[in-house]
Amino acid sequence: MARRPEHKEERREAILAAARELAGERPVREISLGDIARRVGLAKSNLLRYFESREDVFLRMLLREWESWRISLTERLRPGGATADNVATTIARTLAERPLFCDLISEMSAVLERNVSVAAVQAFKSQSLDKVDDLGAVVAERMPDLDGPHARETIAAALIITAGLWPIANPAPHVTAMYAEDPALTRAHVDFESRLQQLLSALIKGFLSTETRIGSH
Amino acid sequence: MARRPEHKEERREAILAAARELAGERPVREISLGDIARRVGLAKSNLLRYFESREDVFLRMLLREWESWRISLTERLRPGGATADNVATTIARTLAERPLFCDLISEMSAVLERNVSVAAVQAFKSQSLDKVDDLGAVVAERMPDLDGPHARETIAAALIITAGLWPIANPAPHVTAMYAEDPALTRAHVDFESRLQQLLSALIKGFLSTETRIGSH
């Protein structure tokens, strides 16, 4: 009885590791609960003693990726100059470095949050919103000209744009091949990092232009 | 033999009408090929003589919704003053009036474009990009201060943000109920139209602030 919670935690970690391994091989939407169970060597029914559903596994993974992004962005936003372009570049770069996070963010609301219990969404939402608040405060500190709500909105917007842009920038292989071959469709090709950077830079400049500077800091 | 193409067109229209009816009842992601076949009264194998797949039906529907949006936005952008706020408000309003279009846009790249042939994606991409170009030209005409590429990017960004924001603003019913009950999660509630309006308005202002006005027209 004593080692049971510890054992349960180990099993959860093994399941998450297997799911993460699969997510390195193909998009999250193509990974089923059965795939994860097979990879970790458990029966599906046994796996469901550790997680509510496939979506519960991926929401847990998303929170970890989100925390890793929060730490990295906080570190890299600290030094140097704080122009709209700097901040946009750092946000876009740190997101582009995390394809799994971007993939999970693009599945978050349409799929992942739909197939778990209220309690699971509640815990997920609460933690993820705290991370957005936290990063918003970091951006506000780095750019004293930007007010707090706009600094937070910069982070929220980066995630909203990522959710919409990631699937557009990463089409199926046969679509990517077609873009390369058909000159008329070259403009359909989207580079995730540069497009996100440009949109965020313009967005921050727009926020700054609407603020009456109250001279914070 | 003579009336065959006509008959085929009639069948395609009946299938599209059935799919559209279903899309008025629940999100597109919850509608299968079998659902559409049952509603229109055809066997699945028979339906597949008129469309490649479920996704082919919805891409066709998306093009029609897109065209309807193009016409409406073109009309409503014509008169009145052309500030960033005006343009953002009209774009956000015309999108919010079209929940089916927004739903289809949010499924477009991750799902719909993945499960059709190269020829079908090619035709779809070509037509949809033309509509973006066309609306970009309308925005450029309305706001002479905004250069052509930024005017086009305003339209493209509206669709990228819609793809990311629509699922966040329209969670599953049990999630919506939870937001209403838990005061700590009030900030998780997102209003699609006002959030899109604010982001687009800031984005256009940011584009304007980066341009050296060359006095177009």
Side-chain angles (χ1 to χ4, degrees):
Chain A
M1 195 72 186
R3 58 183 286 271
R4 232 174 159 188
E6 206 178 295
H7 176 70
K8 184 161 184 176
E9 212 30 65
E10 262 171 43
R11 268 285 159 85
R12 283 175 58 93
E13 288 302 325
I15 293 164
L16 280 166
R20 209 177 189 297
E21 206 177 274
L22 287 163
E25 297 165 13
R26 54 182 192 265
V28 164
R29 85 182 67 84
E30 294 171 16
I31 302 169
S32 69
L33 186 74
D35 294 334
I36 303 170
R38 262 188 303 281
R39 183 65 61 105
V40 75
L42 287 174
K44 260 206 268 187
S45 57
N46 199 357
L47 194 156
L48 289 173
R49 291 165 56 199
Y50 301 93
F51 287 94
E52 281 180 15
S53 59
R54 163 194 180 277
E55 287 74 19
D56 190 25
V57 176
F58 286 119
L59 276 186
R60 168 61 47 183
M61 192 184 294
L62 173 51
L63 271 185
R64 291 201 181 170
E65 291 298 312
W66 207 318
E67 180 59 11
S68 153
W69 180 57
R70 189 192 68 74
I71 291 169
S72 171
L73 183 56
T74 300
E75 276 172 17
R76 286 159 71 175
L77 277 175
R78 297 276 175 209
T83 65
D85 279 333
N86 293 154
V87 171
T89 299
T90 307
I91 294 176
R93 175 67 52 83
T94 52
L95 284 168
E97 286 169 356
R98 289 174 164 71
L100 175 57
F101 181 50
C102 296
D103 190 14
L104 288 164
I105 281 287
S106 73
E107 294 280 303
M108 178 178 70
S109 300
V111 181
L112 302 183
E113 288 179 2
R114 291 193 164 250
N115 299 300
V116 289
S117 65
V118 167
V121 188
Q122 205 158 17
F124 171 77
K125 270 290 162 200
S126 164
Q127 290 184 62
S128 60
L129 288 170
D130 284 350
K131 291 185 206 302
V132 173
D133 291 347
D134 199 272
L135 281 171
V138 173
V139 170
E141 193 189 88
R142 266 318 263 110
M143 294 194 76
D145 287 352
L146 198 64
D147 69 24
H150 280 149
R152 187 190 189 279
E153 185 64 3
T154 298
I155 295 298
L159 295 169
I160 291 168
I161 294 169
T162 294
L165 190 58
W166 184 258
I168 297 173
N170 293 279
H174 68 279
V175 177
T176 307
M178 180 191 76
Y179 290 169
E181 279 164 32
D182 185 342
L185 291 178
T186 307
R187 65 197 167 139
H189 172 78
V190 168
D191 179 71
F192 174 75
E193 183 175 345
S194 63
R195 193 71 168 266
L196 177 60
Q197 195 279 338
Q198 286 158 26
L199 289 173
L200 283 178
S201 173
L203 195 68
I204 298 170
K205 285 170 190 162
F207 287 153
L208 289 169
S209 81
T210 58
E211 286 178 23
T212 41
R213 286 185 51 182
I214 320 169
S216 46
H217 266 284
Chain B
M1 194 73 185
R3 58 184 286 273
R4 229 170 163 191
E6 205 178 297
H7 176 69
K8 184 162 184 176
E9 212 31 64
E10 262 172 43
R11 269 284 159 86
R12 282 174 60 93
E13 289 302 324
I15 293 163
L16 280 166
R20 211 178 189 295
E21 205 178 275
L22 286 164
E25 297 165 14
R26 56 183 190 266
V28 164
R29 86 181 66 84
E30 294 172 17
I31 302 169
S32 68
L33 186 74
D35 294 334
I36 302 169
R38 264 188 303 282
R39 184 64 62 104
V40 75
L42 287 174
K44 260 205 267 187
S45 56
N46 199 355
L47 194 155
L48 289 172
R49 292 166 53 200
Y50 302 94
F51 288 94
E52 281 180 17
S53 59
R54 162 196 180 277
E55 287 74 20
D56 190 27
V57 176
F58 286 120
L59 276 186
R60 169 59 47 183
M61 194 185 294
L62 173 49
L63 270 184
R64 290 202 180 170
E65 292 297 312
W66 207 319
E67 180 59 11
S68 153
W69 180 57
R70 191 192 66 74
I71 291 169
S72 172
L73 184 56
T74 301
E75 276 171 18
R76 286 158 73 175
L77 278 175
R78 295 278 175 209
T83 65
D85 279 334
N86 292 155
V87 171
T89 300
T90 307
I91 294 175
R93 173 68 50 83
T94 51
L95 284 168
E97 287 168 356
R98 291 176 164 70
L100 175 57
F101 181 49
C102 296
D103 190 14
L104 289 164
I105 281 287
S106 72
E107 294 280 302
M108 178 178 69
S109 300
V111 182
L112 302 183
E113 288 178 2
R114 288 191 166 252
N115 299 299
V116 290
S117 66
V118 167
V121 188
Q122 204 158 17
F124 171 76
K125 272 291 163 198
S126 164
Q127 289 184 62
S128 59
L129 289 169
D130 283 350
K131 291 184 207 303
V132 173
D133 290 346
D134 199 89
L135 281 171
V138 173
V139 170
E141 192 189 87
R142 269 311 268 112
M143 295 193 77
D145 288 353
L146 198 64
D147 68 25
H150 280 149
R152 188 189 188 278
E153 185 63 4
T154 299
I155 295 299
L159 295 169
I160 291 167
I161 295 170
T162 293
L165 190 59
W166 183 258
I168 297 173
N170 294 279
H174 69 279
V175 176
T176 307
M178 181 192 75
Y179 290 168
E181 278 164 31
D182 185 342
L185 291 178
T186 308
R187 65 196 165 139
H189 172 78
V190 168
D191 179 69
F192 174 75
E193 185 176 344
S194 63
R195 194 71 168 266
L196 177 60
Q197 194 279 337
Q198 286 158 28
L199 289 172
L200 283 178
S201 172
L203 194 68
I204 299 169
K205 285 170 191 162
F207 287 153
L208 288 170
S209 81
T210 59
E211 286 178 25
T212 41
R213 285 185 51 181
I214 319 169
S216 46
H217 264 288

